[in-house]
Each structure stands twice: as structure tokens, then as C-alpha cells.
Amino acid sequence: VERTSVTPSSRWQRVLTVAASSLADNEREAVLGDLTESATNGATALLQIVGLTSRRQFARWRAWQPWVAGLGIAVPAAFTTMGASLSLSRRAVTHNGAPLMVLVASAALLLAWSWSCGRALRAVSPRTVGVSVVLALLPCLFCTLRFRDTTLPVISLLLLMPAFLAGIRGAERTQHSRTPALLLAISITIGIALLGVLHIAWALPAWYLAARARDDGGRSRA
Amino acid sequence: MIGEFEYLILAATSRLGDNAYGASIRSMIETVADRRCSVGALYTTLDRLEEKGLITTQFGEPTAERGGRAKRMVHLTSQGIAAAREFYAGISRLSVGVTWSAPA
């Protein structure tokens, strides 16, 4: 089989590399190498890569994990984030008899809880975090634009959603050492019980992280 | 039992021997079998064949002709050879006496 080798322009190489970024490292190298070797032009190569990544995405969504991460964690957490943000910001503005310490503790609890949700989401379905992030941001952006309530973006979009995203985008490892994971879960549970800013069920993501924590210090498994 | 596209990949892999990898298999299917073979179809089918134990794959060393990128080398297993042989035998038996004349 005769083949010629043509290197696509550096601009196309960059586009193709970005398009193939969701593939595993080895597979990305092999696919880009195949397309280079077969002298496939830039646009056709892009279509080929999009075709492969689409097939990979569809295959992932045949499992239950992406659905739990997207519809079971990301979307409910986004709505809960907005509700808690609204409640907290109103209490902060009106004070409503709440001591400053309670407001600060509530904010800290919500930050830790947002981070634990993001982390749990990544642990459940690490390959579909992009879709989960979009699912988490959409309700927040929709409500902000629809109701034009400026208290939502201030806390939800600027504070809690970044914490949520930091949990997702943080260190590559999806398992943590047992002691910090247990301390986080216990702190969030006690915080929710005492402060009442969230339903107690929202301690579950932190307990999920604690349950799958390792004794050996949480070495990378990604 | 394997499908037609899976058979094409197994046959191309067998013909290419130690030179069987993504681009060469794809090129052979398109030029010899005159069938379209997208990268997506090829790589997802390679995964499926590997899960079935009909092939093994490994990533080779980077080469200059591929822009310094590695190849995914493909090797047939004994189960893969048996499955391809069975598929071919079935098609051959079924084709005996078939004239492919157009209906009147």
C-alpha cells in the first residue's frame, strides 16, 4: 500500500490537536499520526477526528455514570447553589439577626460543599466532566439572564461555581487519602445540620469521596 | 460471530502482518476492498475486537514520517484467526450456487 507523508500546516495541527484533546494520550498520538501519514487534508482530518470523538462520547453515555454525574449531581447542585446563594446574600444584606460568624461559617460550608460536589462529579464520571460543567452552568446562566437578579451571579457564579469547577478541574487524582476525606465529610455534615443552609442529603457527595478514599494517601489513579 | 467490517479489519491485519496499524489497515480496506473506512469506525472497531480477544494492540515508537507520532500496532490472536476463518467459510458456503443474476 503506497502512502505519502504530508504535514498539515501548523495552524491545522493546532486545530486538530485541540479537536482530539478528549482522546486518551496514546490514541490521540496514533490518530494524528495516521492522519499525517495518510496525507489527509486539514478539513477532512478534522471531520475524521470529530467523528471518532463523537463515537467515543456516545459510547460513554451508554453507561450510568455520566447520567448520575450530569443529571444526578451537576444540575441539582447548580439549582441548590443558586438557592443557597440567594438565601445567603439576602441574609448578609438584611443581617436578619444572623451573627457575622454564622454568615461566614455558612459561606465556608457552601464553598466546601461546592468543591465536594465537583470532586464527586469528577470521581463518578471523569471522562464526561465537560458536559457536566455545561449542565451545571446552564441553569445558573439561564436564571441570571431570565430573572436579572444580581445577587445570583455575585455569589453563585463568582464564588460557588468556581469552587465547584475547582473541584472538577483540580488535581488529576480521583481518590483522596482517608483522613482528610473523612474530616471534610464530617465537617460538611455537621455544618449542614447546624446551619441549615442545605438539605442534609447534600452531604452525600462528601461521603462518597470519603467512602472511596484510600488509606495510602490517595495516590493518583487517573 | 463477527460482522463484515470486523472481518475486513481482521483480513487486512492478516495481510499486513507486522506492518498492521491504524493507517495501513485503513488504507488497505479503502484501496483493496474499495470500502470507505473512517478513523472513528476503525478505532472503535479495533477496541471492540480487542475486547473480544480477537486482536491485541500496542503503541509503538514515534516515527518521523508521522510527524513524530506513535503507531497503534495490531496483531491477530488465535481466536481472531479462527473467527475470521469461520466467517469466511460461512460466506463461502452460502455463496455456492449463487449466480447474482438480476431478477426478470
Side-chain angles (χ1 to χ4, degrees):
Chain A
V1 179
E2 290 296 323
R3 286 181 300 276
T4 55
S5 179
V6 172
T7 305
S9 69
S10 59
R11 180 178 296 176
W12 270 114
Q13 286 285 9
R14 281 197 296 273
V15 171
L16 298 179
T17 303
V18 169
S21 59
S22 68
L23 300 174
D25 291 347
N26 281 340
E27 184 170 58
R28 181 171 60 244
E29 288 297 298
V31 168
L32 292 174
D34 284 352
L35 292 170
T36 302
E37 183 181 326
S38 58
T40 308
N41 71 52
T44 307
L46 181 61
L47 283 176
Q48 294 283 340
I49 290 172
V50 169
L52 175 60
T53 54
S54 301
R55 283 169 183 261
R56 289 272 183 260
Q57 276 296 330
F58 282 125
R60 283 171 197 146
W61 286 84
R62 289 194 196 120
W64 59 268
Q65 288 92 340
W67 296 98
V68 168
L71 301 181
I73 300 177
V75 172
F79 280 109
T80 305
T81 294
M82 285 187 293
S85 304
L86 199 58
S87 167
L88 186 64
S89 60
R90 283 180 181 162
R91 284 163 67 189
V93 170
T94 61
H95 286 287
N96 200 20
L100 182 63
M101 275 302 292
V102 172
L103 293 175
V104 172
S106 298
L109 169 66
L110 289 175
L111 278 172
W113 166 76
S114 299
W115 186 88
S116 72
C117 284
R119 211 77 202 118
L121 188 151
R122 185 189 176 109
V124 169
S125 183
R127 288 285 185 186
T128 57
V129 288
V131 177
S132 296
V133 167
V134 172
L135 286 173
L137 286 173
L138 277 179
C140 217
L141 291 172
F142 172 77
C143 290
T144 301
L145 296 173
R146 174 71 177 81
F147 302 111
R148 299 187 184 284
D149 189 333
T150 54
T151 55
L152 278 178
V154 168
I155 296 179
S156 184
L157 281 178
L158 298 182
L159 198 66
L160 297 184
M161 287 310 285
F164 181 71
L165 297 178
I168 292 175
R169 304 298 299 175
E172 284 296 311
R173 70 187 189 193
T174 57
Q175 283 186 301
H176 297 266
S177 52
R178 190 172 298 281
T179 306
L182 266 176
L183 283 175
L184 178 72
I186 292 169
S187 304
I188 288 177
T189 306
I190 292 174
I192 291 175
L194 290 178
L195 298 168
V197 290
L198 295 168
H199 190 279
I200 193 70
W202 276 117
L204 281 176
W207 281 106
Y208 173 72
L209 293 176
R212 68 193 306 277
R214 295 154 59 115
D215 287 324
D216 61 358
R219 279 195 287 271
S220 175
R221 203 186 68 113
Chain B
M1 189 64 182
I2 58 173
E4 181 205 0
F5 190 64
E6 291 174 326
Y7 174 78
L8 290 177
I9 291 177
L10 293 179
T13 302
S14 179
R15 283 184 63 155
L16 288 162
D18 289 339
N19 196 34
Y21 59 96
S24 64
I25 293 172
R26 188 168 162 240
S27 176
M28 179 162 280
I29 289 173
E30 290 192 333
T31 54
V32 179
D34 197 22
R35 296 287 302 270
R36 284 191 63 187
C37 178
S38 70
V39 169
L42 175 65
Y43 273 78
T44 50
T45 307
L46 285 178
D47 289 349
R48 196 164 60 244
L49 288 171
E50 194 163 23
E51 283 170 14
K52 290 180 179 178
L54 305 183
I55 59 167
T56 57
T57 67
Q58 63 185 50
F59 291 93
E61 294 298 313
T63 58
E65 67 165 346
R66 297 162 56 83
R69 299 185 190 278
K71 296 173 181 174
R72 183 180 181 182
M73 306 303 297
V74 183
H75 304 283
L76 278 177
T77 64
S78 53
Q79 295 101 306
I81 293 169
R85 191 177 284 155
E86 185 186 336
F87 181 90
Y88 181 75
I91 293 292
S92 299
R93 283 195 303 271
L94 193 64
S95 302
V96 171
V98 177
T99 60
W100 302 117
S101 55

